[in-house]
Amino acid sequence: MERRDSHQNTSDNSNPFVHTLNMTRAHKIRGLVFGSILFPIRIFLVAICFLTMWPISRLRLAGLSEAERARPIMTGWRRQLLHPIIWFLSRAAFFFLGFFWVKVKGRRACHKEAPVLAVAPHSSFLDMLVLPETQLATVVSRSENQSIPVIGALLEFNQAVLVNRKNPDSRRQALMQIKQRLTSNGYWPQMLMFPEGTTTNGNSLIKFKHGAFVAGVPVQPVLLHYPNKVDTVRWTHKGTTWVEALWHTCSQIYTNVTIEYLPVYTPSQEEKNDPNLYADNVQKVMAKALGIPATDHVMEGRVPTRKLGGLSLPLEPPAKETHSMLQKDGLRKPEVEAALNRMIDRCQSEERWSADLDDLVPLLGLSDRQTAAKICGLYSKVDKVDLRQMYLSMAAVYGRMDFKSLIHTAFTLYDREGTGSLTAGAVSDLMGALLGSPQHHTEELYRELSRAGAPTEQDLFRVLTTHPTYQKLISEYFTSEGLVSALPLVPATNRKAGNNNEKSPSNNQSDLSPEAADNGMAPATKKDN
């Protein structure tokens, strides 16, 4: 099947990683009254279900060797006795939460017809109500969940594929295990996966991850609908928290849900050879059936991004959140400017790019070490930050200099050997610094830069300002007047290629004024599912 660029204009849609629960005063009052009564009763009943499932789940693999645990439990008393009990208790738990009726449309294919059930849109942990309706199909889960009481036992019972996302070896082993199960010709039971990889507000389908499609086997798309007056179920990266979602859902007398099975999607040979193409085409089919856009948004780690020419553009630039935190700590425009000067002076004079929390507090002029830790967390998973990345991302978003000067500064900082050219790794690091998010797929950009040899500063400036795809990066992401005025004039006809987005998903401000910080976002608190 031929790949088609059908990702719709993402700028016309709200951020899929943000959900705000809009309730009328009447809904709030009714929710408070009903919730005070229903919430404790329902949570108590659900807890009883889970506590009952805990020891029963452990029995399924008890006494088996490692070799026996690596095989599916399809026969015997472990299957005939324990499976119906866990199925019943699982369904009872969701019944007690208010999901009295689960409407089913279409027919679920057997595991030989479709080894994979691809479920979307992914709204919250409450989506797991699809498991009882699919006869407890096996799942893929984070290995960290194995240590959670009850949840770990249920994952063991399910014989789930466990993966440590931070460990490349674990990811490779999990991928091999998934392929082995999906190509077992019915030896392993059906597998259920949420290809979006994280929860969204359901206004669009974000880009599917290719794990469910890597084996090249037929997939049955499954749609989840919550046709309720108040959308209480969704829990996203920002906005409604999981506690609020649980409270408001339990506060409803009942919650409607519909599971819709679409026809089995059988991949072409081209799709079998290209899992990303396969994933994109299934995403389009499901988006069309839902009547919502298929977008190129994706969650990179904990950062919501969208794709453009192989680059990952954060929907919420960390520089905006950084400035918001600096303002809350009492820093004004002159003090922020002074902090930026201290950062670039240290980078250029001492070549000490790494800074820990003790360094960051005086560099930024902070009075609170906790604020420094939060800012550090926006740029790094450890308690150290690359000052080049922090400086360039803030300078890029807020237009501290014209674009040509910005590129010159960035090139100088990442041309570590002083050769006047950049390696492929340096290009990736430089773009990651400018965008404020690590870039792992800059091969396309590097090929453009190195057409005439090792990329120079002139090559970098030329490609970013004249290539149709990367022009859109400049016009959409670096939006300050200072940056735009530095761009050469290019006929509009040259801008038709590349991504179809016409506007930035983030309304980046062009200065460091307090007004600009009013749109700053709070730090991310949600976890990927």
Side-chain angles (χ1 to χ4, degrees), residues 38-162:
L38 294 176
F39 185 83
I41 295 174
R42 285 177 164 170
I43 295 302
F44 174 77
L45 293 173
V46 170
I48 294 297
C49 289
F50 276 94
L51 290 174
T52 305
M53 284 191 281
W54 193 353
I56 297 174
S57 298
R58 293 296 187 192
L59 287 175
R60 187 169 196 179
L61 300 182
L64 297 181
S65 64
E66 287 299 322
E68 291 172 321
R69 286 169 173 256
R71 295 195 295 265
I73 307 298
M74 302 295 289
T75 59
W77 66 272
R78 298 175 188 272
R79 169 74 181 188
Q80 302 302 326
L81 176 63
L82 301 182
H83 191 276
I85 295 175
I86 296 298
W87 176 88
F88 174 80
L89 291 172
S90 299
R91 181 65 189 94
F94 285 104
F95 181 88
F96 292 142
L97 287 174
F99 296 93
F100 300 148
W101 309 279
V102 177
K103 184 178 179 180
V104 178
K105 296 175 63 176
R107 179 188 70 88
R108 180 171 68 94
C110 70
H111 58 294
K112 288 189 177 181
E113 293 177 273
V116 185
L117 300 174
V119 184
H122 193 11
S123 302
S124 73
F125 58 91
L126 294 172
D127 290 344
M128 298 311 292
L129 63 85
V130 74
L131 270 177
E133 301 305 319
T134 57
Q135 298 302 310
L136 304 181
T138 59
V139 299
V140 179
S141 179
R142 297 183 304 165
S143 58
E144 297 91 330
N145 293 337
Q146 195 174 21
S147 60
I148 301 176
V150 183
I151 301 300
L154 291 173
L155 289 174
E156 182 179 293
F157 176 90
N158 186 261
Q159 293 186 282
V161 175
L162 301 176

Side-chain angles (χ1 to χ4, degrees), residues 38 54 103 309 367 390 408 493:
L38 294 176
W54 193 353
K103 184 178 179 180
S367 58
M390 182 179 291
H408 174 72
T493 54

Side-chain angles (χ1 to χ4, degrees), residues 104-413:
V104 178
K105 296 175 63 176
R107 179 188 70 88
R108 180 171 68 94
C110 70
H111 58 294
K112 288 189 177 181
E113 293 177 273
V116 185
L117 300 174
V119 184
H122 193 11
S123 302
S124 73
F125 58 91
L126 294 172
D127 290 344
M128 298 311 292
L129 63 85
V130 74
L131 270 177
E133 301 305 319
T134 57
Q135 298 302 310
L136 304 181
T138 59
V139 299
V140 179
S141 179
R142 297 183 304 165
S143 58
E144 297 91 330
N145 293 337
Q146 195 174 21
S147 60
I148 301 176
V150 183
I151 301 300
L154 291 173
L155 289 174
E156 182 179 293
F157 176 90
N158 186 261
Q159 293 186 282
V161 175
L162 301 176
V163 56
N164 184 340
R165 296 182 179 182
K166 298 179 181 179
N167 187 331
D169 291 334
S170 176
R171 293 199 302 268
R172 283 192 292 268
Q173 291 174 4
L175 196 60
M176 290 175 59
Q177 194 174 359
I178 291 171
K179 291 176 67 174
Q180 181 185 12
R181 291 190 180 191
L182 297 183
T183 56
S184 65
N185 194 28
Y187 178 67
W188 278 94
Q190 216 165 26
M191 182 169 284
L192 185 147
M193 303 179 77
F194 295 93
E196 289 179 291
T198 189
T199 56
T200 69
N201 58 24
N203 292 335
S204 62
L205 284 188
I206 64 173
K207 189 174 180 63
F208 283 4
K209 297 183 181 299
H210 69 266
F213 312 94
V214 72
V217 298
V219 167
Q220 183 170 34
V222 183
L223 307 180
L224 275 182
H225 307 273
Y226 294 98
N228 301 285
K229 290 183 179 180
V230 182
D231 189 358
T232 63
V233 172
R234 303 191 192 280
W235 163 43
T236 53
H237 172 74
K238 300 190 71 171
T240 306
T241 66
W242 72 269
V243 175
E244 291 171 328
L246 185 60
W247 166 267
H248 290 298
T249 300
C250 288
S251 299
Q252 307 301 311
I253 296 178
Y254 62 88
T255 301
N256 293 311
V257 60
T258 300
I259 299 174
E260 181 180 1
Y261 295 102
L262 297 182
V264 174
Y265 189 106
T266 302
S268 65
Q269 188 59 49
E270 185 181 0
E271 288 171 321
K272 290 179 181 179
N273 297 334
D274 186 353
N276 289 313
L277 170 62
Y278 188 6
D280 286 347
N281 287 335
V282 173
Q283 179 204 22
K284 297 164 194 172
V285 168
M286 298 179 73
K288 183 178 180 181
L290 288 164
I292 59 178
T295 73
D296 55 5
H297 292 102
V298 67
M299 185 70 79
E300 296 276 1
R302 296 175 184 266
V303 181
T305 64
R306 64 184 182 89
K307 296 294 184 181
L308 179 62
L311 301 177
S312 300
L313 277 62
L315 300 185
E316 301 160 2
K320 289 187 68 176
E321 296 188 33
T322 298
H323 181 240
S324 178
M325 292 184 196
L326 293 177
Q327 186 190 33
K328 289 179 181 178
D329 200 64
L331 275 70
R332 297 303 178 191
K333 181 178 178 180
E335 294 161 319
V336 174
E337 290 281 358
L340 289 170
N341 287 333
R342 286 193 293 270
M343 280 193 283
I344 190 62
D345 287 345
R346 172 165 164 168
C347 289
Q348 290 178 333
S349 61
E350 303 178 31
E351 292 192 352
R352 290 174 55 199
W353 302 312
S354 179
D356 57 23
L357 294 182
D358 292 331
D359 295 327
L360 209 54
V361 171
L363 274 173
L364 295 178
L366 296 171
S367 58
D368 184 3
R369 194 172 187 273
Q370 187 175 1
T371 301
K374 290 180 180 178
I375 292 175
C376 188
L378 296 174
Y379 296 91
S380 173
K381 295 181 180 179
V382 296
D383 290 337
K384 286 188 177 181
V385 65
D386 190 325
L387 291 177
R388 297 172 299 176
Q389 184 184 38
M390 182 179 291
Y391 174 83
L392 290 171
S393 63
M394 293 187 70
V397 170
Y398 293 105
R400 193 168 187 258
M401 60 188 78
D402 63 65
F403 187 68
K404 194 166 187 178
S405 299
L406 179 68
I407 291 298
H408 174 72
T409 302
F411 193 94
T412 303
L413 290 175

